[in-house]
Amino acid sequence: MFTHRPAAAVLFDRDDTLIKDVPYNNDPSLVEPMPGALEALTALRAAGIPVAVVTNQSGVASGLITPDELHQVNERVEELLGPFDAWAICVHGEDDGCACRKPNPGLVLKAAGALGVDPADCVVIGDIGKDMQAARAAGARAILVPTPKTRPSEIVAAPEVAHDLREAVGWVRA
């Protein structure tokens, strides 16, 4: 286990970290929290630690989901998991060359800026290597919570790997 100072904020990937991934979800009724997500967020909020979402949503760029549908899905996420202090969303496609799309640091930097904290004082929790790369590129701490979709190479490369969200948040609050 790593020793770190307390986090100023925790930034979560959305799909397969906070909610079960439904590719290009445009239906709020399909939003289903990941196991332990509500408890993890509740613990952070009770400790006074701001929480934010950093998420790639390329379905908007490709026309598979409208901005309004994305907004409705994100509203449902908040209905089920409580309010987030910030949302940083990249709606660009992989070939758009933007600075915000993970693994680039833009979303982490944007969320940290919105929260008024230094990215170096943030923890990013996600389920794939791109989440970890974005955190490191921004100077933030990164914790991987693998799912069956996480590649073995991403697990090996991750600086910290937690079994679930509760464990990851326990490390943040320790």
Side-chain angles (χ1 to χ4, degrees):
M1 173 125 84
F2 293 74
T3 304
H4 296 277
R5 63 180 179 264
V10 179
L11 317 179
F12 291 90
D13 172 57
R14 191 188 81 171
D15 300 324
D16 268 351
T17 300
L18 290 174
I19 63 170
K20 293 184 179 178
D21 185 28
V22 175
Y24 309 112
N25 185 12
N26 61 1
D27 182 353
S29 71
L30 298 178
V31 173
E32 184 180 347
M34 290 293 283
L38 180 58
E39 296 84 355
L41 290 162
T42 299
L44 290 169
R45 290 177 181 126
I49 299 172
V51 292
V53 177
V54 290
T55 182
N56 288 345
Q57 295 297 322
S58 64
V60 175
S62 62
L64 297 171
I65 179 172
T66 68
D68 185 57
E69 290 168 334
L70 175 62
H71 179 73
Q72 290 175 34
V73 167
N74 290 339
E75 281 186 335
R76 181 65 178 151
V77 172
E78 287 201 332
E79 286 174 16
L80 295 172
L81 297 176
F84 290 88
D85 299 295
W87 284 80
I89 304 168
C90 174
V91 296
H92 303 107
E94 284 201 41
D95 298 328
D96 289 344
C98 69
C100 57
R101 185 173 176 78
K102 294 180 283 183
N104 295 318
L107 292 178
V108 175
L109 298 173
K110 181 179 178 184
L115 297 171
V117 299
D118 189 316
D121 295 328
C122 293
V123 176
V124 176
I125 298 176
D127 67 303
I128 61 172
K130 287 182 180 181
D131 300 320
M132 304 298 96
Q133 293 166 1
R136 285 185 280 193
R141 181 179 170 195
I143 301 175
L144 183 74
V145 179
T147 70
K149 295 178 190 174
T150 309
R151 293 182 183 116
S153 61
E154 295 172 322
I155 296 169
V156 170
E160 296 180 70
V161 179
H163 292 98
D164 56 30
L165 284 173
R166 287 181 211 103
E167 182 177 43
V169 166
W171 292 352
V172 169
R173 297 181 58 229

